[in-house]
Coordinates of all heavy atoms in Angstrom, one line a residue:
M19 N 15.0 -18.6 21.8 CA 13.9 -17.6 21.9 C 12.9 -17.9 20.8 O 13.3 -18.1 19.7 CB 14.4 -16.3 21.8 CG 13.3 -15.2 21.9 SD 13.9 -13.6 21.5 CE 13.8 -12.7 23.0
K20 N 11.7 -18.0 21.1 CA 10.7 -18.3 20.1 C 10.4 -17.1 19.2 O 10.2 -16.0 19.8 CB 9.4 -18.7 20.8 CG 8.4 -19.3 19.9 CD 7.1 -19.7 20.5 CE 6.0 -20.0 19.6 NZ 4.7 -20.1 20.1
R21 N 10.4 -17.3 18.0 CA 10.0 -16.3 17.0 C 8.5 -15.9 17.0 O 7.8 -16.8 17.0 CB 10.6 -16.6 15.6 CG 10.5 -15.5 14.8 CD 11.1 -15.8 13.5 NE 10.9 -14.7 12.4 CZ 11.3 -14.7 11.2 NH1 12.0 -15.8 10.8 NH2 11.2 -13.7 10.5
M22 N 8.2 -14.6 17.2 CA 6.8 -14.2 17.3 C 6.2 -14.0 15.8 O 7.0 -13.6 15.0 CB 6.7 -13.0 18.0 CG 6.8 -13.1 19.5 SD 6.4 -11.7 20.4 CE 4.6 -11.8 20.4
R23 N 5.0 -14.4 15.7 CA 4.4 -14.2 14.3 C 3.9 -12.7 14.3 O 3.5 -12.2 15.4 CB 3.2 -15.1 14.2 CG 3.6 -16.6 14.1 CD 2.4 -17.5 13.8 NE 1.4 -17.2 14.8 CZ 0.1 -17.2 14.6 NH1 -0.3 -17.7 13.4 NH2 -0.8 -17.1 15.5
L24 N 3.7 -12.2 13.1 CA 3.3 -10.8 13.1 C 2.0 -10.7 13.6 O 1.6 -9.7 14.2 CB 3.3 -10.4 11.4 CG 2.9 -8.9 11.2 CD1 3.8 -7.9 11.9 CD2 2.8 -8.7 9.7
E25 N 1.1 -11.7 13.3 CA -0.3 -11.7 13.9 C -0.3 -11.5 15.3 O -1.2 -10.9 16.0 CB -1.0 -12.8 13.4 CG -1.3 -12.9 12.0 CD -0.1 -13.6 11.3 OE1 1.0 -13.7 11.8 OE2 -0.4 -13.9 10.0
D26 N 0.6 -12.2 16.1 CA 0.7 -12.2 17.6 C 1.1 -10.9 18.1 O 0.7 -10.5 19.2 CB 1.6 -13.3 18.1 CG 1.0 -14.7 17.8 OD1 -0.1 -14.8 17.7 OD2 1.9 -15.5 17.6
I27 N 2.0 -10.1 17.4 CA 2.3 -8.7 17.7 C 1.3 -7.8 17.5 O 1.0 -7.0 18.4 CB 3.7 -8.4 16.9 CG1 4.8 -9.4 17.2 CG2 4.0 -7.0 17.2 CD1 6.0 -9.2 16.3
L28 N 0.5 -7.9 16.3 CA -0.5 -6.9 16.0 C -1.8 -7.1 16.8 O -2.4 -6.2 16.9 CB -0.8 -7.1 14.5 CG 0.2 -6.7 13.5 CD1 -0.2 -6.9 12.1 CD2 0.7 -5.3 13.7
I29 N -1.9 -8.1 17.6 CA -3.1 -8.3 18.4 C -3.0 -7.2 19.5 O -4.1 -7.0 20.2 CB -3.2 -9.7 18.8 CG1 -4.6 -10.0 19.3 CG2 -2.3 -10.0 20.1 CD1 -4.9 -11.5 19.5
N30 N -1.8 -6.7 19.8 CA -1.7 -5.7 20.9 C -2.1 -4.3 20.4 O -1.9 -3.3 21.1 CB -0.4 -5.6 21.4 CG 0.0 -7.0 22.3 OD1 -0.8 -7.4 22.9 ND2 1.2 -7.4 22.0
N31 N -2.4 -4.2 19.1 CA -2.7 -2.9 18.6 C -4.1 -2.7 18.1 O -4.8 -3.7 17.8 CB -1.9 -2.7 17.2 CG -0.3 -2.6 17.6 OD1 0.0 -1.9 18.3 ND2 0.4 -3.5 17.1
V32 N -4.7 -1.5 18.0 CA -6.0 -1.1 17.5 C -5.8 0.0 16.6 O -4.8 0.8 16.7 CB -7.0 -0.8 18.7 CG1 -7.3 -1.9 19.5 CG2 -6.4 0.4 19.5
W33 N -6.7 0.2 15.7 CA -6.7 1.3 14.8 C -7.9 2.2 14.9 O -9.0 1.8 15.1 CB -6.7 0.7 13.2 CG -5.5 0.1 12.8 CD1 -4.5 0.6 11.9 CD2 -4.9 -1.2 13.1 NE1 -3.5 -0.1 11.6 CE2 -3.6 -1.3 12.3 CE3 -5.4 -2.3 13.9 CZ2 -2.9 -2.5 12.5 CZ3 -4.5 -3.4 14.0 CH2 -3.4 -3.6 13.2
D34 N -7.6 3.4 14.8 CA -8.7 4.5 14.8 C -8.5 5.1 13.4 O -7.7 6.0 13.2 CB -8.5 5.5 16.0 CG -9.8 6.5 15.9 OD1 -10.6 6.4 15.1 OD2 -9.7 7.3 16.8
V35 N -9.2 4.6 12.4 CA -9.0 5.0 11.1 C -9.6 6.4 10.8 O -10.8 6.5 11.0 CB -9.5 3.8 10.1 CG1 -9.3 4.3 8.7 CG2 -8.9 2.5 10.4
D36 N -8.9 7.1 10.2 CA -9.3 8.5 9.7 C -10.1 8.3 8.4 O -9.8 7.4 7.6 CB -8.1 9.4 9.4 CG -8.5 10.9 9.4 OD1 -9.7 11.2 9.6 OD2 -7.7 11.7 9.2
Y37 N -10.9 9.2 8.2 CA -11.7 9.2 6.8 C -10.7 9.6 5.6 O -10.9 9.2 4.5 CB -12.9 10.2 6.8 CG -13.9 9.7 7.8 CD1 -14.3 10.4 9.0 CD2 -14.7 8.5 7.6 CE1 -15.3 9.9 9.8 CE2 -15.7 8.2 8.4 CZ -16.0 8.8 9.4 OH -17.0 8.3 10.4
E38 N -9.8 10.5 6.0 CA -8.9 10.9 5.0 C -7.7 10.0 5.0 O -7.0 9.8 6.1 CB -8.4 12.3 5.2 CG -9.5 13.4 5.1 CD -9.9 13.5 3.7 OE1 -9.1 13.4 2.7 OE2 -11.1 13.7 3.3
P39 N -7.2 9.5 3.8 CA -6.0 8.7 3.8 C -4.8 9.5 4.1 O -4.7 10.6 3.6 CB -5.9 8.1 2.4 CG -6.8 9.0 1.6 CD -7.8 9.5 2.6
H40 N -3.9 8.9 5.0 CA -2.7 9.6 5.3 C -1.6 9.3 4.2 O -0.4 9.9 4.3 CB -2.2 9.2 6.7 CG -1.8 7.8 6.9 ND1 -2.9 6.9 7.0 CD2 -0.7 7.1 7.1 CE1 -2.3 5.6 7.1 NE2 -1.1 5.8 7.2
I41 N -1.7 8.4 3.4 CA -0.9 7.9 2.3 C -1.7 7.9 1.0 O -2.7 7.4 1.0 CB -0.3 6.6 2.5 CG1 0.6 6.5 3.8 CG2 0.5 6.2 1.3 CD1 1.0 5.1 4.2
V42 N -1.1 8.5 0.0 CA -1.8 8.5 -1.3 C -0.8 8.0 -2.4 O 0.4 8.4 -2.4 CB -2.2 10.1 -1.7 CG1 -2.8 10.0 -3.1 CG2 -3.2 10.6 -0.8
V43 N -1.4 7.2 -3.2 CA -0.5 6.5 -4.1 C -0.9 7.0 -5.4 O -2.1 7.0 -5.9 CB -0.6 4.9 -4.1 CG1 0.2 4.2 -5.1 CG2 -0.1 4.5 -2.7
D44 N 0.0 7.4 -6.3 CA -0.3 7.9 -7.7 C -0.2 6.6 -8.6 O 0.8 6.2 -9.1 CB 0.8 8.8 -8.1 CG 0.7 9.4 -9.5 OD1 -0.2 8.8 -10.3 OD2 1.3 10.4 -9.8
S45 N -1.3 6.1 -8.8 CA -1.5 4.8 -9.7 C -0.9 4.9 -11.0 O -0.6 3.9 -11.6 CB -2.8 4.3 -9.5 OG -3.8 5.2 -10.0
E46 N -1.0 6.1 -11.6 CA -0.5 6.3 -12.9 C 1.0 6.0 -12.9 O 1.5 5.4 -13.9 CB -0.6 7.8 -13.3 CG -1.9 8.2 -13.5 CD -2.6 7.6 -14.5 OE1 -2.1 7.5 -15.7 OE2 -3.9 7.1 -14.5
K47 N 1.8 6.3 -11.9 CA 3.2 5.9 -11.9 C 3.4 4.4 -11.6 O 4.4 3.8 -12.1 CB 4.0 6.7 -10.7 CG 4.1 8.2 -10.9 CD 4.7 8.9 -9.8 CE 4.8 10.3 -10.2 NZ 5.3 11.2 -9.1
C48 N 2.5 3.7 -11.0 CA 2.6 2.3 -10.8 C 2.4 1.5 -12.0 O 3.1 0.5 -12.2 CB 1.4 1.9 -9.9 SG 1.4 2.7 -8.2
V49 N 1.8 2.1 -13.1 CA 1.7 1.4 -14.3 C 3.0 1.1 -15.0 O 3.3 0.0 -15.6 CB 0.7 2.2 -15.3 CG1 0.7 1.6 -16.7 CG2 -0.6 2.3 -14.8
E50 N 4.0 2.0 -14.8 CA 5.3 1.9 -15.3 C 6.2 1.1 -14.4 O 7.4 1.1 -14.7 CB 5.9 3.3 -15.7 CG 5.0 4.1 -16.6 CD 4.9 3.5 -18.0 OE1 5.9 2.9 -18.5 OE2 3.7 3.6 -18.6
C51 N 5.8 0.8 -13.3 CA 6.7 0.1 -12.3 C 6.8 -1.4 -12.6 O 5.7 -2.1 -12.4 CB 6.2 0.4 -10.8 SG 7.1 -0.3 -9.6
D52 N 8.0 -1.8 -13.0 CA 8.1 -3.3 -13.4 C 8.0 -4.3 -12.2 O 7.4 -5.3 -12.2 CB 9.3 -3.4 -14.2 CG 9.3 -2.7 -15.5 OD1 8.3 -2.5 -16.0 OD2 10.4 -2.4 -15.9
T53 N 8.7 -4.0 -11.0 CA 9.0 -4.9 -10.0 C 7.8 -4.7 -8.9 O 7.7 -5.7 -8.3 CB 10.3 -4.6 -9.3 OG1 10.3 -3.2 -9.1 CG2 11.5 -5.0 -10.3
K54 N 7.2 -3.7 -8.9 CA 6.1 -3.5 -7.7 C 6.5 -4.0 -6.3 O 5.8 -5.0 -5.8 CB 4.8 -4.0 -8.3 CG 4.3 -3.3 -9.4 CD 3.0 -3.9 -10.0 CE 2.4 -3.2 -11.1 NZ 3.2 -2.6 -12.1
P55 N 7.7 -3.6 -5.7 CA 8.1 -4.1 -4.5 C 7.0 -3.9 -3.3 O 7.2 -4.6 -2.4 CB 9.4 -3.4 -4.2 CG 9.3 -2.1 -5.0 CD 8.6 -2.5 -6.3
C56 N 6.3 -2.9 -3.4 CA 5.4 -2.6 -2.3 C 4.5 -3.9 -2.1 O 4.1 -4.0 -0.9 CB 4.5 -1.4 -2.7 SG 3.7 -1.5 -4.3
I57 N 4.1 -4.6 -3.1 CA 3.2 -5.7 -2.9 C 3.8 -6.6 -1.8 O 3.1 -7.2 -1.0 CB 3.0 -6.4 -4.2 CG1 2.2 -5.5 -5.2 CG2 2.1 -7.7 -4.0 CD1 2.0 -6.0 -6.6
N58 N 5.1 -6.9 -1.9 CA 5.7 -8.0 -1.0 C 6.3 -7.3 0.2 O 6.5 -8.0 1.1 CB 6.8 -8.7 -1.8 CG 6.3 -9.5 -3.0 OD1 5.2 -10.3 -2.6 ND2 6.8 -9.7 -4.0
L59 N 6.6 -6.1 0.1 CA 7.4 -5.5 1.2 C 6.5 -4.7 2.3 O 7.0 -4.5 3.4 CB 8.5 -4.6 0.7 CG 9.6 -5.2 0.0 CD1 10.6 -4.3 -0.6 CD2 10.2 -6.4 0.8
C60 N 5.3 -4.4 2.0 CA 4.4 -3.8 2.9 C 4.0 -4.8 3.9 O 3.4 -5.8 3.5 CB 3.3 -3.1 2.3 SG 1.9 -2.6 3.5
P61 N 4.3 -4.8 5.3 CA 4.1 -5.7 6.2 C 2.6 -5.9 6.5 O 2.2 -7.0 6.9 CB 4.8 -5.3 7.4 CG 5.1 -3.9 7.2 CD 5.1 -3.6 5.8
A62 N 1.9 -4.9 6.1 CA 0.4 -5.0 6.4 C -0.4 -5.4 5.2 O -1.7 -5.5 5.3 CB -0.2 -3.6 6.8
G63 N 0.4 -5.6 4.1 CA -0.5 -6.0 2.9 C -1.4 -5.0 2.3 O -2.5 -5.3 1.8
C64 N -0.9 -3.8 2.4 CA -1.9 -2.7 2.0 C -1.8 -2.5 0.5 O -2.8 -1.8 -0.2 CB -1.4 -1.4 2.6 SG -1.6 -1.3 4.3
F65 N -0.9 -3.1 -0.2 CA -0.8 -2.9 -1.6 C -1.2 -4.3 -2.4 O -0.4 -5.3 -2.0 CB 0.7 -2.6 -2.1 CG 1.1 -1.1 -1.7 CD1 1.5 -1.1 -0.3 CD2 1.0 -0.1 -2.5 CE1 2.0 0.2 0.0 CE2 1.4 1.1 -2.1 CZ 1.8 1.3 -0.9
T66 N -2.2 -4.4 -3.2 CA -2.4 -5.7 -3.8 C -2.5 -5.3 -5.3 O -2.9 -4.1 -5.8 CB -3.8 -6.3 -3.4 OG1 -4.7 -5.2 -3.4 CG2 -3.6 -6.7 -1.9
L67 N -2.5 -6.3 -6.1 CA -2.5 -6.3 -7.5 C -3.9 -6.8 -8.0 O -4.2 -7.8 -7.7 CB -1.4 -7.1 -8.1 CG -1.0 -6.8 -9.7 CD1 -0.6 -5.3 -9.8 CD2 0.1 -7.7 -10.1
L68 N -4.7 -5.9 -8.7 CA -6.0 -6.3 -9.2 C -5.9 -6.1 -10.7 O -5.8 -5.1 -11.3 CB -7.0 -5.4 -8.6 CG -8.5 -5.8 -8.9 CD1 -8.8 -7.1 -8.3 CD2 -9.4 -4.6 -8.4
G69 N -5.8 -7.3 -11.3 CA -5.5 -7.3 -12.9 C -4.1 -6.8 -12.9 O -3.2 -7.3 -12.3
D70 N -4.0 -5.7 -13.6 CA -2.5 -5.2 -13.8 C -2.5 -3.7 -13.0 O -1.6 -2.9 -13.2 CB -2.2 -4.9 -15.3 CG -3.3 -4.0 -15.9 OD1 -4.2 -3.6 -15.4 OD2 -3.0 -3.6 -17.2
K71 N -3.5 -3.5 -12.1 CA -3.5 -2.3 -11.4 C -3.1 -2.5 -9.9 O -3.7 -3.4 -9.3 CB -4.8 -1.6 -11.5 CG -5.1 -1.2 -12.9 CD -6.2 0.0 -13.0 CE -6.1 0.7 -14.3 NZ -7.2 0.4 -15.2
I72 N -2.5 -1.5 -9.3 CA -2.2 -1.6 -7.9 C -3.4 -0.9 -7.2 O -4.0 0.1 -7.6 CB -1.0 -0.7 -7.6 CG1 0.2 -1.5 -8.0 CG2 -0.8 -0.3 -6.1 CD1 0.7 -2.6 -7.0
V73 N -3.9 -1.6 -6.1 CA -5.0 -1.2 -5.3 C -4.3 -0.9 -3.9 O -3.7 -1.8 -3.3 CB -6.1 -2.2 -5.2 CG1 -7.1 -1.7 -4.2 CG2 -6.8 -2.5 -6.6
F74 N -4.5 0.1 -3.4 CA -3.9 0.6 -2.1 C -5.0 0.9 -1.1 O -6.0 1.6 -1.3 CB -3.0 1.8 -2.2 CG -2.6 2.4 -0.9 CD1 -1.6 1.5 -0.4 CD2 -2.9 3.5 -0.2 CE1 -1.1 2.1 1.1 CE2 -2.5 3.9 1.0 CZ -1.6 3.2 1.6
S75 N -4.9 0.2 0.1 CA -5.8 0.4 1.3 C -5.1 0.9 2.4 O -4.1 0.2 2.9 CB -6.5 -0.9 1.6 OG -6.9 -1.6 0.5
Y76 N -5.3 2.1 2.9 CA -4.4 2.6 4.0 C -5.0 2.3 5.4 O -4.2 2.4 6.4 CB -4.5 4.2 3.9 CG -5.9 4.8 4.3 CD1 -6.1 5.3 5.6 CD2 -7.0 4.8 3.3 CE1 -7.4 5.8 5.8 CE2 -8.2 5.3 3.6 CZ -8.4 5.8 4.9 OH -9.6 6.5 5.2
E77 N -6.2 1.6 5.5 CA -6.8 1.4 6.7 C -5.9 0.6 7.7 O -5.9 0.8 8.9 CB -8.2 0.7 6.5 CG -9.2 1.6 5.9 CD -9.1 1.6 4.4 OE1 -8.1 1.2 3.9 OE2 -10.1 2.2 3.8
G78 N -5.1 -0.5 7.2 CA -4.4 -1.3 8.0 C -3.0 -1.0 8.3 O -2.2 -1.7 8.8
C79 N -2.6 0.3 7.8 CA -1.2 0.7 7.7 C -0.6 0.6 9.1 O -1.3 1.1 10.1 CB -1.1 2.1 7.1 SG 0.4 2.8 7.1
L80 N 0.6 0.2 9.2 CA 1.4 0.1 10.4 C 2.3 1.2 10.6 O 3.0 1.4 11.7 CB 2.3 -1.1 10.4 CG 1.5 -2.4 10.3 CD1 2.5 -3.6 10.2 CD2 0.5 -2.7 11.4
E81 N 2.2 2.3 9.7 CA 3.1 3.5 9.7 C 4.5 3.3 9.8 O 5.3 4.0 10.5 CB 2.5 4.4 11.0 CG 1.1 4.8 10.8 CD 0.6 5.4 12.0 OE1 1.4 6.0 12.8 OE2 -0.7 5.3 12.3
C82 N 5.1 2.1 9.1 CA 6.4 1.8 9.1 C 7.2 2.6 8.2 O 8.5 2.7 8.4 CB 6.5 0.3 8.8 SG 6.1 -0.1 7.1
G83 N 6.7 3.2 7.1 CA 7.3 4.0 6.2 C 8.1 3.2 5.0 O 8.8 3.8 4.3
T84 N 7.9 1.9 5.1 CA 8.6 1.0 4.1 C 8.3 1.4 2.7 O 9.1 1.7 1.8 CB 8.3 -0.4 4.3 OG1 8.8 -0.7 5.6 CG2 9.0 -1.2 3.3
C85 N 7.0 1.7 2.4 CA 6.5 1.9 1.0 C 7.1 3.3 0.6 O 7.5 3.5 -0.6 CB 5.0 2.0 1.0 SG 4.2 3.2 2.1
R86 N 7.3 4.2 1.4 CA 7.9 5.5 1.0 C 9.3 5.3 0.6 O 9.9 6.0 -0.4 CB 7.8 6.5 2.2 CG 8.4 7.8 2.1 CD 8.4 8.5 3.3 NE 8.8 9.9 3.1 CZ 9.0 10.8 4.2 NH1 8.7 10.4 5.4 NH2 9.5 11.9 3.9
V87 N 10.1 4.4 1.3 CA 11.5 4.3 1.1 C 11.8 3.4 -0.2 O 12.6 3.7 -1.0 CB 12.2 3.6 2.3 CG1 13.6 3.3 1.9 CG2 12.1 4.5 3.5
I88 N 11.0 2.4 -0.4 CA 11.3 1.3 -1.4 C 10.7 1.7 -2.8 O 11.0 1.1 -3.8 CB 11.0 -0.1 -1.0 CG1 9.5 -0.2 -0.7 CG2 11.9 -0.5 0.1 CD1 8.5 -0.5 -1.6
C89 N 9.7 2.6 -2.9 CA 9.0 2.8 -4.1 C 10.1 3.6 -5.1 O 10.6 4.7 -4.9 CB 7.7 3.9 -3.9 SG 7.0 4.3 -5.5
P90 N 10.3 2.9 -6.2 CA 11.4 3.4 -7.1 C 10.8 4.5 -8.0 O 11.5 5.2 -8.8 CB 11.6 2.2 -8.0 CG 10.4 1.4 -8.0 CD 9.7 1.6 -6.7
R91 N 9.5 4.8 -8.0 CA 9.0 5.8 -8.9 C 8.4 7.0 -8.1 O 7.8 8.0 -8.8 CB 7.8 5.2 -9.5 CG 8.1 4.0 -10.3 CD 8.0 4.3 -11.9 NE 8.7 3.4 -12.6 CZ 9.1 3.6 -13.8 NH1 9.0 4.7 -14.4 NH2 9.9 2.8 -14.5
G92 N 8.6 7.1 -6.8 CA 8.1 8.3 -6.1 C 6.6 8.4 -6.2 O 6.1 9.6 -6.2
A93 N 5.9 7.3 -6.1 CA 4.5 7.3 -6.3 C 3.8 7.5 -5.0 O 2.5 7.7 -5.1 CB 4.0 6.0 -7.0
V94 N 4.5 7.4 -3.9 CA 3.9 7.3 -2.5 C 4.0 8.7 -1.9 O 5.2 9.2 -1.7 CB 4.4 6.2 -1.7 CG1 3.9 6.3 -0.3 CG2 4.3 4.8 -2.3
S95 N 2.9 9.3 -1.7 CA 2.9 10.6 -0.9 C 2.6 10.2 0.6 O 1.4 9.8 0.9 CB 1.9 11.5 -1.3 OG 2.2 12.0 -2.7
W96 N 3.4 10.3 1.4 CA 3.4 9.7 2.8 C 3.3 10.8 3.9 O 4.1 11.7 3.9 CB 4.7 8.9 3.1 CG 4.5 7.7 4.0 CD1 4.3 6.5 3.8 CD2 4.7 7.9 5.5 NE1 4.2 5.7 4.8 CE2 4.5 6.6 6.0 CE3 5.0 9.0 6.3 CZ2 4.5 6.4 7.3 CZ3 5.0 8.8 7.7 CH2 4.8 7.4 8.2
N97 N 2.4 10.6 4.7 CA 2.3 11.5 5.9 C 1.8 10.5 7.1 O 1.2 9.4 6.9 CB 1.3 12.5 5.8 CG 1.7 13.6 4.9 OD1 2.7 14.4 5.2 ND2 1.2 13.7 3.8
Y98 N 2.1 11.0 8.4 CA 1.5 10.3 9.5 C 0.1 10.6 9.5 O -0.4 11.8 9.1 CB 2.2 10.7 10.8 CG 3.5 10.1 11.0 CD1 4.7 10.7 11.0 CD2 3.5 8.7 11.5 CE1 5.9 10.1 11.2 CE2 4.7 8.0 11.7 CZ 5.9 8.7 11.6 OH 7.1 8.1 11.7
P99 N -0.9 9.8 10.2 CA -2.1 10.3 10.2 C -2.3 11.5 11.3 O -1.3 11.7 11.9 CB -2.8 9.0 10.9 CG -1.9 7.8 10.7 CD -0.5 8.4 10.6
V100 N -3.3 12.1 11.2 CA -3.6 13.3 12.0 C -3.6 12.8 13.4 O -3.8 11.6 13.7 CB -4.8 14.1 11.7 CG1 -4.7 14.8 10.4 CG2 -6.1 13.2 11.9
S101 N -3.3 13.6 14.4 CA -3.1 13.2 15.7 C -4.5 12.5 16.3 O -5.5 12.9 16.0 CB -3.0 14.5 16.6 OG -2.9 14.2 18.0
G102 N -4.1 11.4 17.0 CA -5.2 10.5 17.5 C -5.7 9.5 16.7 O -6.4 8.6 17.0
K103 N -5.3 9.6 15.3 CA -5.7 8.5 14.4 C -4.7 7.5 14.1 O -3.5 7.8 14.4 CB -6.2 9.3 13.1 CG -7.4 10.2 13.2 CD -8.7 9.4 13.6 CE -9.8 10.3 13.7 NZ -11.0 9.6 14.1
G104 N -5.0 6.5 13.4 CA -4.0 5.5 13.0 C -3.8 4.4 13.9 O -4.8 4.1 14.7
I105 N -2.7 3.7 14.0 CA -2.5 2.6 14.8 C -2.0 2.9 16.3 O -1.4 4.0 16.5 CB -1.4 1.7 14.2 CG1 -1.3 0.4 15.0 CG2 0.0 2.5 14.1 CD1 -0.5 -0.7 14.2
H106 N -2.6 2.4 17.3 CA -2.3 2.7 18.7 C -2.1 1.4 19.4 O -2.6 0.3 19.0 CB -3.6 3.3 19.3 CG -4.1 4.5 18.7 ND1 -3.4 5.8 19.0 CD2 -5.0 4.8 17.8 CE1 -4.0 6.7 18.3 NE2 -5.0 6.1 17.6
Y107 N -1.2 1.5 20.4 CA -1.0 0.3 21.2 C -2.4 0.1 22.1 O -2.8 1.1 22.8 CB 0.2 0.6 22.2 CG 0.5 -0.6 22.9 CD1 0.9 -1.9 22.3 CD2 0.8 -0.6 24.4 CE1 1.3 -2.9 23.1 CE2 1.2 -1.7 25.1 CZ 1.3 -2.9 24.4 OH 1.8 -4.0 25.2
R108 N -2.9 -1.1 22.1 CA -4.1 -1.3 22.7 C -4.2 -1.1 24.3 O -5.1 -0.6 24.8 CB -4.5 -2.9 22.6 CG -5.9 -3.3 23.1 CD -6.0 -4.9 22.9 NE -6.0 -5.2 21.6 CZ -7.1 -5.3 20.7 NH1 -8.2 -4.9 21.3 NH2 -6.9 -5.8 19.5
F109 N -3.0 -1.3 24.9 CA -3.0 -1.2 26.3 C -2.3 0.0 26.8 O -2.1 0.2 28.0 CB -2.4 -2.4 27.1 CG -3.0 -3.7 26.5 CD1 -2.4 -4.7 25.8 CD2 -4.3 -4.0 26.9 CE1 -3.0 -5.7 25.3 CE2 -4.9 -5.3 26.5 CZ -4.2 -6.1 25.7
G110 N -2.0 0.9 25.9 CA -1.2 2.2 26.3 C -2.1 3.3 26.5 O -3.3 3.4 26.3
Ligands
SF4_2 S1 6.6 0.3 -5.8 FE1 5.7 2.5 -6.0 S2 5.4 2.8 -8.2 FE2 5.8 0.5 -7.8 S3 3.8 -0.3 -7.7 FE3 4.4 0.2 -5.7 S4 3.6 2.3 -5.2 FE4 3.5 1.9 -7.4
SF4_3 S1 3.7 2.7 5.9 FE1 4.3 0.4 6.0 S2 2.4 -0.5 6.6 FE2 1.9 1.5 5.9 S3 1.4 1.2 3.7 FE3 3.5 1.8 3.9 S4 4.7 -0.1 3.9 FE4 2.4 -0.6 4.4

């Protein structure tokens, strides 16, 4: 069986991005986080390092919940987007 690339899977989705972020990151807690696993484990690449600061962008979030589970500092306040917002199946 051929392994699908993430890009090929995501092409079936569309985003209706809310103005209000459904995930909020406490960047003060990120300063003390040595390993910063969110950078490598968020499948959507929502966490990036700019200098020594974490920059979080919620717009492309896949709502997988990984950042909530793996954050060792409890810096991620996580909610689903309000109804009708966020990621949707393109043909559904
Ligand atoms: S894992 Fe949590 S505390 Fe560490 S950098 Fe990411 S969001 Fe911040
Ligand atoms: S819920 Fe998943 S896709 Fe969204 S920011 Fe967290 S790890 Fe990334």
Side-chain angles (χ1 to χ4, degrees):
M19 179 193 246
K20 187 180 171 198
R21 187 173 176 182
M22 290 186 77
R23 297 179 311 148
L24 181 61
E25 294 84 350
D26 295 331
I27 297 169
L28 291 179
I29 202 165
N30 292 319
N31 296 300
V32 291
W33 284 258
D34 185 357
V35 178
D36 197 0
Y37 292 111
E38 293 291 326
H40 61 289
I41 298 172
V42 177
V43 177
D44 183 346
S45 56
E46 295 294 316
K47 292 182 178 174
C48 300
V49 173
E50 303 294 323
C51 181
D52 295 329
T53 53
K54 296 180 175 37
C56 56
I57 295 172
N58 293 318
L59 295 180
C60 170
C64 294
F65 295 82
T66 51
L67 200 56
L68 189 63
D70 59 352
K71 294 208 164 103
I72 284 285
V73 176
F74 175 69
S75 317
Y76 69 98
E77 291 85 349
C79 175
L80 304 175
E81 300 168 28
C82 67
T84 301
C85 55
R86 178 185 185 184
V87 173
I88 55 91
C89 177
R91 301 253 161 198
V94 177
S95 299
W96 202 100
N97 287 291
Y98 281 110
V100 295
S101 180
K103 298 292 185 182
I105 190 169
H106 302 275
Y107 189 56
R108 185 184 295 273
F109 305 109

